[in-house]
């Protein structure tokens, strides 16, 4: 019989886990507490407790070619940066294409996951679930893949703001924010400047009387477009640039990149300058925030010192009166209420993960946390790579050789408290797991056997399809998908085809005319030189050094 694997959550990570289980001959059983797939990307008017939620206007901040799964590129007609409804549509296409829905139990909540009595021998888990009718059931699984993400427990640090109890206006967390209409004509303070904080502040500025953004740290702000208007991550993530990052000092890379950003808009002048270097934290991806600051509809402020009724005092001594609402964009805490305490073995009762996936303290690597990362890049292909490796570990294709060593590595290098060490580098992390799987592309061999493909893999966009060229899960369409990236990038923008301009003959005629005049002039000067060399020398006297003239006379 196939080994049974519980998959908790049917968002993007859960869907790819189901598919990876099927590829490895496992039997996946997915439990989804809501009534549909999509997780974070499925917009709901009313947020539900313990479930990730988003706002109506949310648009992706990574482009479609970089964030797609490795064996199903997004439709060519999709825009490069998609509205949340379009990404949900892609997840639905993915589920239908690989026939995943039949493995999902909707409106079924996982209440607890604990080791079976014979875990030391079997590595099995007892999973307690509750369905829509309130019926509870215990299941036995050979492995568990947790795919609930880390956007489920909003952080509301009200105690950090003295006098907040005197504030009588409206307040909410960004997880409750849906659209700007309730804030029309009001003065609003947005606390925090992550991606959500920047998006919400920009959107509020279009209807609010005044919008203030309070930030303790500041942020580097990057636009979605780069050279010639291409998606920024298409040009930012390449193997060649990653190699440069390994060879050059990090301080130099930070200095060059920060200088380039400040050439577009001076972060210090705009009140955005953070305390950290560019590559020390994930930047804010936003096209409109600098323009809103320039127009005065968004005003940057430092950290809040205290609330005095409807007046907000900031640490720089300034105050803003008659504030009507506050939106806290203060992030989330990781929450896995269904996991037993034995899994949380890190300092401060935190979850430690080997390679950001496995709790290393377990006797058997049969519990994996998928997608618990803050990547410098798109998360969906990284979660897919985690799922591909985790399912191979579960089937026994890869087995840790020294469990005690893995415990030390996990605690030392990969602690996960408060998101502090969830940050991972995109290409190095993907290559690390790809090496374990045996799917990392051999660039030298590609350059020798298929130079065109090798060139694209080395110099072109770092697309997830590169990990389907060889090894387990090899996909026959990977080569064509890599070589046609720019076709899919350009198609949604080519809605008004402008013909290429005909090459003008004027430059060629101008060059020929200049050459002809120069030739005639040279011929005349040459003839004069032959007739009277000393006369020509006297004409050139002012341009020729005296030493040279003495040599010519002798």
């Amino acid at each position: 019989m196939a080994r049974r694997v519980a998959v908790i959550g049917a968002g993007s990570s859960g869907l790819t886990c189901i598919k990876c289980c099927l590829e490895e001959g496992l039997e996946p059983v997915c439990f989804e507490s809501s009534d549909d797939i999509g997780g974070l990307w499925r917009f709901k008017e009313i947020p539900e407790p313990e479930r990730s939620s988003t706002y109506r206007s949310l648009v992706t901040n990574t482009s479609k070619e970089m964030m797609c799964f490795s064996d199903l590129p997004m439709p060519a007609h999709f825009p490069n940066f998609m509205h949340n409804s379009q990404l949900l549509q892609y997840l639905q296409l993915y589920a239908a294409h690989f026939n995943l829905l039949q493995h999902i139990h909707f409106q079924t909540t996982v209440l607890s996951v604990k080791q079976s009595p014979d875990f030391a021998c079997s590595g099995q888990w007892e999973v307690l679930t509750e369905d829509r009718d309130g019926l509870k059931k215990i299941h036995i699984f050979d492995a568990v893949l947790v795919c609930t993400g880390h956007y489920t427990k909003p952080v509301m640090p009200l105690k950090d703001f003295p006098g907040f109890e005197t504030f009588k206006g409206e307040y909410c967390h960004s997880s409750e924010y849906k659209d700007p209409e309730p804030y029309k004509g009001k003065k609003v303070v947005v606390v925090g400047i992550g991606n959500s904080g920047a998006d919400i502040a920009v959107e509020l500025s279009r209807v609010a009387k005044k919008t203030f953004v309070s930030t303790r740290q500041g942020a580097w702000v990057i636009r979605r477009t780069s050279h010639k208007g291409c998606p920024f991550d298409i040009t930012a993530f390449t193997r060649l640039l990653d190699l440069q990052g390994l060879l050059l000092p990090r301080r130099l890379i930070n200095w060059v990149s920060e200088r380039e950003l400040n050439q577009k808009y001076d972060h210090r002048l705009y009140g955005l300058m953070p305390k950290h270097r560019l590559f020390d934290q994930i930047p804010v991806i936003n096209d409109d925030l600098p323009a809103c600051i320039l127009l005065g509809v968004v005003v940057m402020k430092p950290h809040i010192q205290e609330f005095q009724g409807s007046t907000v005092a900031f640490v720089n001594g300034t105050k803003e009166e008659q504030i009507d609402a506050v939106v806290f964009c203060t992030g989330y805490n990781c929450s896995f209420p269904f996991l037993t305490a034995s899994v949380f073995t890190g300092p401060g009762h935190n979850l430690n993960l080997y390679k950001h996936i496995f709790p290393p303290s377990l006797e058997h690597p049969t519990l994996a946390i998928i997608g618990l990362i803050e990547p410098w890049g798109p998360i969906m292909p990284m979660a897919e790579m985690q799922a591909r490796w985790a399912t191979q570990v579960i089937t026994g294709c890869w087995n840790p050789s020294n469990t005690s060593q893995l415990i030390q590595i996990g605690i030392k290098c990969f602690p996960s408290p408060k998101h502090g060490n969830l940050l991972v580098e995109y290409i190095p992390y993907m290559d690390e797991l790809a090496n374990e799987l045996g799917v990392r592309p051999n660039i030298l061999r590609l350059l020798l056997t298929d130079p065109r493909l090798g060139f694209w893999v080395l110099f072109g966009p770092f697309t997830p399809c590169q990990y389907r060229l060889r090894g387990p899960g090899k996909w026959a369409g990977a080569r064509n998908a890599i070589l046609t990236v720019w076709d899919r990038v350009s198609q949604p923008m080519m809605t008004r085809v402008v013909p290429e301009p005909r090459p003008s003959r004027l430059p060629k005629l101008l060059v020929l005319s200049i050459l002809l005049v120069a030739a005639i002039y040279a011929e005349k000067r040459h003839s004069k030189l032959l007739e009277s060399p000393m006369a020509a020398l006297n004409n050139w006297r002012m341009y020729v050094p005296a030493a040279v003239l003495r040599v010519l006379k002798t």
Side-chain angles (χ1 to χ4, degrees), residues 86-395:
Q86 292 169 311
L87 184 52
L88 176 60
Q89 185 181 348
Y90 170 72
L91 295 177
Q92 292 168 339
L93 290 171
Y94 182 81
H97 183 77
F98 294 108
N99 199 23
L100 306 180
L101 294 179
Q102 62 178 325
H103 302 282
I104 304 174
H105 297 261
F106 292 106
Q107 293 185 316
T108 303
T109 303
V110 173
L111 301 178
S112 69
V113 175
K114 61 181 181 179
Q115 299 173 5
S116 62
D118 62 343
F119 180 81
C121 299
S122 66
Q124 292 182 329
W125 297 84
E126 291 184 357
V127 178
L128 175 63
T129 63
E130 182 179 6
D131 64 17
R132 73 191 72 181
D133 300 319
L135 179 64
K136 295 182 180 180
K137 186 177 180 181
I138 296 177
H139 312 260
I140 302 297
F141 288 100
D142 297 293
V144 177
L145 300 176
V146 179
C147 309
T148 54
H150 48 88
Y151 296 113
T152 55
K153 191 174 181 181
V155 175
M156 287 281 280
L158 302 183
K159 294 181 180 179
D160 294 345
F161 301 102
F164 185 79
E165 66 278 0
T166 66
F167 179 69
K168 304 305 179 184
E170 305 171 29
Y171 69 93
C172 70
H173 190 269
S174 59
S175 61
E176 303 171 79
Y177 173 88
K178 297 302 171 184
D179 56 58
E181 281 305 309
Y183 303 92
K184 188 173 183 178
K186 296 181 179 180
K187 295 178 72 174
V188 186
V189 174
V190 177
V191 181
I193 194 177
N195 282 303
S196 295
D199 284 349
I200 291 172
V202 167
E203 190 169 65
L204 287 174
S205 70
R206 300 188 178 110
V207 300
K209 182 178 180 180
K210 199 74 171 181
T211 303
F212 303 93
V213 177
S214 170
T215 172
R216 188 196 302 266
Q217 298 289 339
W220 293 103
V221 180
I222 298 177
R223 291 184 292 192
R224 287 181 172 87
T225 55
S226 62
H227 183 61
K228 292 186 177 180
C230 295
F232 80 98
D233 51 358
I234 288 283
T235 56
F237 293 110
T238 67
R239 287 192 176 275
L240 183 63
L241 289 178
D242 183 62
L243 181 61
Q244 292 178 5
L246 295 175
L247 298 176
L248 297 175
R250 192 175 183 88
R251 291 179 64 181
L252 176 61
I253 297 173
N254 275 318
W255 180 82
V256 172
S257 302
E258 290 167 6
R259 189 173 185 275
E260 183 179 353
L261 281 179
N262 282 323
Q263 290 296 321
K264 297 175 182 176
Y265 34 84
D266 189 331
H267 282 62
R268 190 176 303 280
L269 177 64
Y270 279 63
L272 295 167
M273 179 64 76
K275 298 179 181 179
H276 58 268
R277 305 305 299 272
L278 175 58
F279 292 104
D280 291 343
Q281 292 187 25
I282 297 175
V284 171
I285 311 299
N286 196 284
D287 304 298
D288 302 318
L289 181 60
C292 289
I293 296 172
L294 192 64
L295 294 173
V297 293
V298 170
V299 178
M300 298 301 301
K301 290 286 186 178
H303 185 55
I304 295 174
Q305 184 177 35
E306 64 175 338
F307 284 82
Q308 301 169 356
S310 62
T311 299
V312 178
F314 300 92
V315 293
N316 63 351
T318 61
K319 294 182 179 181
E320 295 297 336
E321 300 177 343
Q322 298 179 341
I323 298 298
D324 300 297
V326 179
V327 180
F328 289 95
C329 301
T330 43
Y332 299 81
N333 277 332
C334 304
S335 177
F336 304 98
F338 48 83
L339 291 180
T340 59
S342 60
V343 176
F344 299 87
T345 57
H349 201 62
N350 289 305
L351 182 62
N352 292 290
L353 301 175
Y354 174 64
K355 293 188 184 295
H356 295 275
I357 301 173
F358 289 103
S361 60
L362 297 176
E363 298 176 69
H364 298 276
T366 53
L367 174 71
I369 314 293
I370 305 299
L372 188 61
I373 49 177
E374 290 279 1
W376 232 108
I379 191 172
M380 283 172 49
M382 298 180 82
E384 180 192 32
M385 185 64 75
Q386 288 182 326
R388 291 175 69 181
W389 185 59
T391 50
Q392 285 225 346
V393 172
I394 291 170
T395 56

Side-chain angles (χ1 to χ4, degrees), residues 500-508:
E500 292 286 342
R502 293 182 179 181
S504 175
R505 296 182 179 180
L506 182 60
K508 293 182 180 179

